[in-house]
């Protein structure tokens, strides 16, 4: 689909489909293609680093890591229960370590976020300094730029634009998975 959309000069959709493919099959060649398209059409937000590649790999294997964490917690609790029934007492250091391990699993499940991103899907989109049509205008951008979504307020996404906090209307963003 990305190839077809690129041939039709719909670079926003091409980037979206490349991103979808990249999340399922991360590879440096897909990143390189996205960077080439972005540079050729002067799009911002497509600079990739090893950290981004790591985040993609991490999110791809999120469920497997969670399964391993939970299986080891269940096995540990089972072994600890059997040992406790036999009269074995655990040191405070071990108890604190195990509680920290369980708290890490809770954090991993509930709070770990690698960040959301979106692609601007319309031309002549206003980027504002606050979530209001009456706020200070920062820029007008064309479609295809990728932005990090920091939060949301009503009909606005909070983004980071050129190092500063900014806001863009939700209807102008194609949210990436």
């Amino acid at each position: 689909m990305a190839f077809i959309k690129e041939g039709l000069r719909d670079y926003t959709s091409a980037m979206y489909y490349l991103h979808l493919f990249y999340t399922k099959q991360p590879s440096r060649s897909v990143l390189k293609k996205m960077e080439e398209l972005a540079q050729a059409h002067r799009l911002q937000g497509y600079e990739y680093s090893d950290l981004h590649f790591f985040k993609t790999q991490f999110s791809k294997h999120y469920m497997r890591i969670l399964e391993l964490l939970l299986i080891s917690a269940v096995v540990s609790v089972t072994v600890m229960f059997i040992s406790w029934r036999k009269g074995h007492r655990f040191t405070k250091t071990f108890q604190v370590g195990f509680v920290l391990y369980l708290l890490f699993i809770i954090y991993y499940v509930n709070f770990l976020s690698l960040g959301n991103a979106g692609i601007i899907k319309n031309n002549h989109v206003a980027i504002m300094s606050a979530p209001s049509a009456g706020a200070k205008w920062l820029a007008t951008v064309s479609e295809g730029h990728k932005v990090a979504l920091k939060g949301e307020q009503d009909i606005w996404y909070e983004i980071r634009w050129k190092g500063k906090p900014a806001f863009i209307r939700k209807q102008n963003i194609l949210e990436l998975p």
Side-chain angles (χ1 to χ4, degrees), residues 111-129:
F111 303 109
L112 186 64
S113 172
L114 300 176
N116 295 333
I119 298 175
I120 298 174
K121 67 179 179 179
N122 299 321
N123 275 320
H124 311 294
V125 173
I127 295 181
M128 310 300 280
S129 62

Side-chain angles (χ1 to χ4, degrees), residues 27-64:
S27 72
R28 300 268 184 206
S29 61
V30 176
L31 285 179
K32 186 177 179 184
K33 177 64 177 174
M34 290 170 76
E35 284 180 332
E36 286 173 3
L37 266 177
Q39 287 175 353
H41 302 287
R42 297 184 185 132
L43 301 175
Q44 295 181 6
Y46 294 97
E47 301 78 24
Y48 292 100
S49 64
D50 289 335
L51 177 62
H52 185 272
F53 188 73
F54 169 77
K55 285 180 178 181
T56 305
Q57 291 291 340
F58 180 78
S59 32
K60 180 180 176 186
H61 300 292
Y62 176 86
M63 289 306 292
R64 287 189 185 116

Side-chain angles (χ1 to χ4, degrees), residues 77-130:
V77 166
T78 304
V79 169
M80 287 169 43
F81 181 74
I82 292 170
S83 297
W84 176 75
R85 295 273 297 174
K86 290 181 180 179
H88 185 269
R89 297 287 174 219
F90 300 101
T91 63
K92 287 289 183 190
T93 306
F94 179 79
Q95 292 172 357
V96 168
F98 189 71
V99 168
L100 288 175
Y101 178 71
L102 293 177
L103 289 174
F104 173 74
I105 292 174
I106 291 169
Y107 172 79
Y108 186 87
V109 169
N110 295 304
F111 303 109
L112 186 64
S113 172
L114 300 176
N116 295 333
I119 298 175
I120 298 174
K121 67 179 179 179
N122 299 321
N123 275 320
H124 311 294
V125 173
I127 295 181
M128 310 300 280
S129 62

Side-chain angles (χ1 to χ4, degrees), residues 1-11 13-15 17-18 33:
M1 285 301 294
F3 180 74
I4 293 169
K5 292 295 185 178
E6 183 183 358
L8 295 171
R9 298 179 190 258
D10 183 0
Y11 302 111
S13 296
M15 291 300 234
Y17 289 121
L18 281 170
K33 177 64 177 174

